[in-house]
Amino acid sequence: MKKAGLLLVTITAVWGWSGCSKADAPVDPPQFFIEVIHTATARFDDFFASFGEGVTNSEKLSFVEPLASLLLKDITVSAYVITYRTVDYYGNPIVASGTVYFPNDTHIRGVVEVAPIAFIQKTSGASGRIPSTEAMQSCFGYITIIPDFIGYGVSQDIYHPFLEPEITGRVAYDMRQASREFLRTIGYELPEKTNIAGYSLGGSMAMAMVRYYQEHGEDVKIDKIGIGCGCYEPAAAFDAFARTGKSSYCLIPTLIYSINKYHNLNLDFSKIFTGDLLANYEEWLDRSDEHNQWFIQDRIGSDLHNYMHADFFTEEKNEEFNKVYRILKELSHVDGWTPEKTIYLYHAEDDESVPFECALYAYEEFTKRGATISFFSGTGGHVGYAAQMFISLYLYLILR
């Protein structure tokens, strides 16, 4: 409650500086940005409603919305869906999309790059749900950049490479470069300093972005990193799922299917799945609107014993699961690097979608290597705990 009250007080502050500067008209042809394919306008009420009842009904936010809506009623945000050049998992040139949210009627205070919350179906990219939950900070004066990533938006016919950190970071960085070129066309120069955030699958993507920017982004300086409830260590997540036998979200089959596709494992799925999923996995895991997460969840439920082969729950596994586990370790978003900037890490202890062990692994391994990790945990489940992270992020952005 204290954080929510402070949020109301600080919303009334006068924005003290402009993080973006006026730019001359672009001279060189853009290397990344292609075109704007859609525009829209939104207000605070629109952004707040996009969180859904699981967050908006939270006690922490129950008295925030009416007053914040009044204080921010004159602020509008323009959303520009752009297309840009990047590469696919194999390095082949492709066209991807994303959204740049630009605040109107207020000083531009800085930039936030957000990895979006992702659903299974390919039509659920952030550019297709404007206003996007992840862009509400634009009402406080921040340009928000949200890539769709491969497999969503205009690249939706490509199967999304789930939890693949290297290509995730590359596609996000190319979106940043495209956003820089686009902003020049409307008279603004993107600053070097940025903030990175993400929640759920977006949390994993945000971690991949931090690593990629640190290792390859010579023209970017990261300020704040806020990441919540992400699957940073897929092997630890699978271990937890095997131990508990429960998952409230049906991503496990889709992740295994993606791993098999991109790593050429040639899995024998009769040793991976069982029941109706085994009989229908090629059709059900096509990421279509017809076979969305609710369709799949209704048919397989949250008890993993309904659809995972019995060997999944043993210590020895089987040869097919061992193939998967070798790749899961390669897809660690934690191993092999050390963050140079402080990471603010959030995770619900009672998260049944992404096990708490993922955040615990990240915290323990990073701190062993000398990184500074501010670790916050609590209860509320995967959806309910989102309010904790977002309130903290908004407070920082307003008070800075």
Side-chain angles (χ1 to χ4, degrees), residues 52-327:
E53 293 182 357
V55 175
T56 57
N57 289 342
S58 165
E59 288 186 10
K60 294 185 176 76
L61 296 174
S62 60
F63 69 97
V64 172
E65 191 272 339
L67 186 53
S69 179
L70 177 64
L71 294 170
L72 298 171
K73 64 182 177 65
D74 294 327
I75 303 298
T76 63
V77 177
S78 295
Y80 301 90
V81 180
I82 67 172
T83 57
Y84 67 101
R85 299 174 184 88
T86 186
V87 297
D88 66 9
Y89 177 84
Y90 305 103
N92 302 313
I94 62 168
V95 175
S97 54
T99 310
V100 179
Y101 286 85
F102 191 86
N104 305 308
D105 314 310
T106 187
H107 293 295
I108 304 300
R109 307 188 67 224
V111 179
V112 183
E113 296 177 56
V114 184
I117 298 169
F119 301 99
I120 288 176
Q121 66 267 29
K122 60 187 179 182
T123 58
S124 63
S127 66
R129 47 182 176 86
I130 294 173
S132 175
T133 298
E134 301 90 340
M136 193 168 80
Q137 62 275 352
S138 288
C139 295
F140 310 144
Y142 287 85
I143 292 173
T144 302
I145 299 172
I146 306 180
D148 281 328
F149 290 104
I150 295 173
Y152 298 93
V154 300
S155 67
Q156 64 181 7
D157 290 335
I158 303 174
Y159 207 88
H160 178 67
F162 285 92
L163 298 180
E164 299 279 352
E166 180 69 17
I167 188 60
T168 296
R170 166 68 187 274
V171 171
Y173 185 71
D174 289 349
M175 173 64 183
R176 173 183 170 81
Q177 300 296 76
S179 299
R180 182 196 307 279
E181 294 173 345
F182 160 69
L183 286 169
R184 286 172 178 161
T185 70
I186 61 172
Y188 281 90
E189 182 67 31
L190 189 72
E192 291 184 349
K193 186 176 290 187
T194 193
N195 302 279
I196 294 178
Y199 193 85
S200 189
L201 184 57
S204 311
M205 293 174 170
M207 188 74 80
M209 290 167 63
V210 173
R211 178 174 185 175
Y212 193 92
Y213 284 23
Q214 179 175 306
E215 296 178 348
H216 304 285
E218 296 179 358
D219 59 344
V220 57
K221 297 177 182 178
I222 302 174
D223 185 13
K224 170 83 170 185
I225 304 167
I227 299 177
C229 291
C231 187
Y232 324 110
E233 186 61 24
F238 270 52
D239 286 342
F241 286 135
R243 186 182 68 255
T244 64
K246 186 175 183 180
S247 172
S248 63
Y249 193 70
C250 52
L251 182 61
I252 295 173
T254 308
L255 175 58
I256 294 175
Y257 192 83
S258 173
I259 287 174
N260 183 62
K261 172 181 174 61
Y262 283 107
H263 295 270
N264 301 311
L265 297 186
N266 297 312
L267 291 175
D268 178 354
F269 280 96
S270 69
K271 296 179 180 179
I272 297 289
F273 301 143
T274 190
D276 290 344
L277 180 60
L278 176 60
N280 298 282
Y281 73 89
E282 290 187 278
E283 178 182 2
W284 289 2
L285 302 182
D286 65 359
R287 300 181 60 242
S288 66
D289 282 342
E290 180 183 359
H291 305 123
N292 59 33
Q293 66 264 31
W294 298 285
F295 173 96
I296 298 173
Q297 198 75 43
D298 285 346
R299 284 155 180 77
I300 65 177
S302 59
D303 186 346
L304 299 180
H305 297 86
N306 291 335
Y307 60 90
M308 296 298 289
H309 191 282
D311 289 348
F312 178 69
F313 306 97
T314 67
E315 184 175 348
E316 297 80 12
K317 309 300 182 192
N318 60 40
E319 62 270 29
E320 302 304 288
F321 279 122
N322 287 333
K323 292 179 187 177
V324 173
Y325 263 79
R326 283 194 291 272
I327 301 301

